[in-house]
């Protein structure tokens, strides 16, 4: 089982990103409600009013020096047929042996179903990539937002997962960090494009042992989104 983390990493994931280990009473999933999305939430308590990604990023890095080059984190563009499972890979380049930890939110349209490894713990199925070869802990959870779903995600009708990878030292490599899996709806029309992107919270990170915030700033300001296109 992939949930082999230290208690510290687990605390980081549960508390820092507001992703709970069980569903809060204010959360209603599309599956349990019989709806295909979370649009039309009527209870204001279901929505968490926090800064949008762009504003949160600007506030976090406003006093951090800008560098010309740094890590590029990207999501691939893939195709899949209706009813198939699409493989979405998150990669990094420009950080070979120069990162020790990351914590990132990945977003996807609620029409897609994120494939879980364990329904009880909301752990997300993934395949570790070469960039994570020397990790000492890797966890990925579907976000259920115990304090309410962030307004930005509600507005865009997006779900999210969070993943964090840890290393002993700067042993993170360039290459694929991990591949995640999404079930495409059976009735998806050919040509439909599902964007796979990022949601930034000020607790997210991409760091080396030096705690170089310029490296982290570059990584998050240059995130490259991907997509799933229905064949």
């Amino acid at each position: 089982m992939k949930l082999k983390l230290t208690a510290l990493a687990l605390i980081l994931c549960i508390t820092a990103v507001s992703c709970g280990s069980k569903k809060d009473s204010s959360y209603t999933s599309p599956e349990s409600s019989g709806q295909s999305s979370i649009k039309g939430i009527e209870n204001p308590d279901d929505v968490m009013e926090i800064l949008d990604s762009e504003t949160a990023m600007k506030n976090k890095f406003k006093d951090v020096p800008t560098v010309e080059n740094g890590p590029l984190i990207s999501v691939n563009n893939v195709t899949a047929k209706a009813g198939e499972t699409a493989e979405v890979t998150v990669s990094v380049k420009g950080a070979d042996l120069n990162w020790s930890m990351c914590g990132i939110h990945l977003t996807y349209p609620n029409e897609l179903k994120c494939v879980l490894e364990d329904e009880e713990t909301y752990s997300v199925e993934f395949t570790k990539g070469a960039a994570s070869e020397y990790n000492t802990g890797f966890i990925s959870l579907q976000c259920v937002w115990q304090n309410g779903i962030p307004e930005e995600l509600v507005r865009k009708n997006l779900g999210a997962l969070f993943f964090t990878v840890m290393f002993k030292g700067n042993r993170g490599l360039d290459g694929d960090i991990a591949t995640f899996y999404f079930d495409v709806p059976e009735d998806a029309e050919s040509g439909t494009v599902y964007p796979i992107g990022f949601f930034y919270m000020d607790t997210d990170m991409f760091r080396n042992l030096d705690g170089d915030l310029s490296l982290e700033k570059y990584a998050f300001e240059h995130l490259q989104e991907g997509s799933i296109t229905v064949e």
Side-chain angles (χ1 to χ4, degrees):
M1 190 174 181
K2 299 185 181 74
L3 294 176
K4 294 181 180 179
L5 276 190
T6 63
L8 176 61
L10 185 58
I11 291 172
L12 169 69
C13 186
I14 297 298
T15 61
V17 304
S18 302
C19 293
S21 59
K22 62 180 181 179
K23 289 182 180 176
D24 180 86
S25 60
S26 67
Y27 176 87
T28 303
S29 71
E31 294 84 359
S32 63
S33 65
Q35 301 173 351
S36 61
S37 73
I38 57 172
K39 287 183 178 179
I41 290 178
E42 297 180 358
N43 185 353
D45 292 337
D46 292 347
V47 180
M48 177 167 52
E49 294 184 0
I50 62 174
L51 295 176
D52 61 87
S53 294
E54 183 177 354
T55 302
M57 200 178 301
K58 286 181 177 178
N59 289 351
K60 177 70 173 289
F61 299 118
K62 62 181 179 179
D63 297 322
V64 177
T66 299
V67 293
E68 293 185 1
N69 297 292
L72 289 174
I73 300 171
S74 63
V75 180
N76 62 343
N77 296 298
V78 299
T79 61
K81 295 179 181 179
E84 288 187 341
T85 299
E87 300 183 358
V88 172
T89 300
V90 181
S91 304
V92 62
K93 63 180 181 179
D96 200 47
L97 291 175
N98 193 33
W99 62 287
S100 62
M101 186 177 197
C102 74
I104 298 172
H105 288 83
L106 195 68
T107 62
Y108 53 91
N110 278 302
E111 289 82 2
L112 299 175
K113 181 181 178 182
C114 180
V115 177
L116 302 183
E117 180 185 65
D118 189 320
E119 297 281 346
E120 293 295 322
T121 62
Y122 300 97
S123 61
V124 172
E125 179 70 30
F126 68 89
T127 299
K128 182 180 66 175
S132 305
E133 180 178 357
Y134 303 118
N135 82 89
T136 56
F138 196 136
I139 192 170
S140 182
L141 295 177
Q142 183 180 41
C143 291
V144 296
W145 308 108
Q146 287 190 353
N147 297 318
I149 306 169
E151 189 274 337
E152 180 179 347
L153 300 186
V154 174
R155 185 176 70 250
K156 297 179 179 179
N157 194 32
L158 297 175
L161 64 85
F162 176 81
F163 67 91
T164 180
V165 190
M166 303 176 66
F167 302 87
K168 185 177 181 180
N170 291 326
R171 303 197 72 190
L173 304 175
D174 280 354
D176 296 344
I177 298 174
T179 297
F180 303 96
Y181 304 94
F182 297 91
D183 290 338
V184 178
E186 294 277 355
D187 59 353
E189 295 184 2
S190 177
T192 301
V193 179
Y194 298 106
I196 308 297
F198 301 93
F199 175 67
Y200 180 78
M201 297 182 70
D202 62 9
T203 49
D204 288 359
M205 63 180 66
F206 188 88
R207 296 183 185 172
N208 57 19
L209 286 183
D210 295 330
D212 186 352
L213 289 181
S214 290
L215 174 144
E216 182 169 287
K217 177 180 180 179
Y218 190 97
F220 283 110
E221 288 186 346
H222 293 82
L223 294 170
Q224 298 177 355
E225 300 186 343
S227 63
I228 300 170
T229 300
V230 182
E231 296 180 7

